[in-house]
Amino acid sequence: MLGWAVTFLIIALIAGALGFGGIAGASASIAQVLFVLFLILFVIAMVARAVRGQPPT
C-alpha cells in the first residue's frame, strides 16, 4: 500500500508541476486534490506500518 501511495504522490506532483506551469491550467485543481489525497494516504500507510512494528526500510 505504501508503494501505491508513493507512486500516486509522484504522479500528483508531476501533474501539479504541469498544471501550475501553465501547460494545462485545468489540471491544477485536479493536481491539488490528488496531491492532498495521496499525501494523506502516504501518512496513513506510514502510521499503519509503524503500528505493526515494522521500521521504515
Side-chain angles (χ1 to χ4, degrees), residues 28-57:
S29 60
I30 295 171
Q32 287 176 336
V33 171
L34 287 175
F35 178 77
V36 171
L37 176 69
F38 293 116
L39 187 62
I40 291 169
L41 286 175
F42 179 73
V43 170
I44 290 171
M46 292 294 288
V47 169
R49 188 176 178 100
V51 167
R52 286 186 297 196
Q54 296 176 342
T57 56

Side-chain angles (χ1 to χ4, degrees), residues 8-19:
F8 286 120
L9 178 65
I10 292 170
I11 291 172
L13 287 173
I14 292 170
L18 293 175

